Amino acid sequence: MAEFVGTFALIFVGVGAIAVAGAAAGEAGLLGVALAHGLTLAVMISATAAISGGHLNPAVTFGARLAGKISTRGALAYWAAQLAGGLAGAALIELVIPVSELRATGWGVPAPGSGIPLGSALLAEAILTFFLVFVVFGTAIDRRAPKVGGLFIGLTVALDILVGGPISGAAMNPARFLGPALVFGSQLQFTWLYLVGPLAGGAIAGLVWRYLLLEPETATSA
């Protein structure tokens, strides 16, 4: 339930912020969109950390699985909850924001920027997600981490969007793409990009922490 609610909030606020910013300014304001995503994750990760660890992202769960921080069964349950939350968030935002505003801003579905090669967008997603999952480990998963994970994870998402939004859409999260893409039937041709890029970045970060940075006794298999 914690993973469902947290991911629901991310998609509901993220898609809604893009639509509202677009309606007010003629185009989605990058700073506002970045802050909307970052602040939502900061509060929701803080709210769910004691219950589920506040992953709210299949790429984070994948990295945690490879680092031995969650069982395969647990990861599958998290992925199901995260996807369900993403779908619910996109479905309900459609009942709140006028369809014309959602359509004008591409339904809030991440997509490569105009003129950006798919290879560049894929690499951007992998690198940005690596940053995100690296910070998740360093501020939340590692037992030596300061108890400020939600804040700095949210800030990482915001800074990633500031640089990556115009390049790849800066999803960094398969659920952030799949929720609105499936509900609105938009940009589904890029599904592979928003699965491969974030999962690769999350996997690399998880393996770096497991084999290079975590204390040996904290990296247990499950």
Side-chain angles (χ1 to χ4, degrees), residues 90-185:
L92 288 184
I93 196 65
E94 188 178 16
L95 302 179
V96 176
I97 303 292
V99 171
S100 60
E101 294 181 11
L102 290 169
R103 184 184 296 111
T105 51
W107 308 100
V109 181
S114 178
I116 301 296
L118 291 181
S120 297
L122 180 65
L123 181 59
E125 283 296 308
I127 292 173
L128 297 174
T129 309
F130 173 84
F131 292 158
L132 171 59
V133 179
F134 189 91
V135 172
V136 169
F137 271 88
T139 64
I141 292 179
D142 192 315
R143 68 180 184 178
R144 300 163 295 178
K147 304 302 181 182
V148 290
L151 173 61
F152 288 106
I153 294 165
L155 289 175
T156 303
V157 168
L159 68 87
D160 275 358
I161 292 175
L162 288 174
V163 67
I167 299 170
S168 66
M172 302 166 281
N173 183 337
R176 174 63 184 85
F177 172 81
L178 287 172
L182 291 173
V183 168
F184 302 124

Side-chain angles (χ1 to χ4, degrees), residues 7-18 40 85-86 88-97 176:
T7 311
F8 170 93
L10 173 64
I11 277 63
F12 186 89
V13 174
V15 173
I18 291 172
T40 303
L92 288 184
I93 196 65
E94 188 178 16
L95 302 179
V96 176
I97 303 292
R176 174 63 184 85

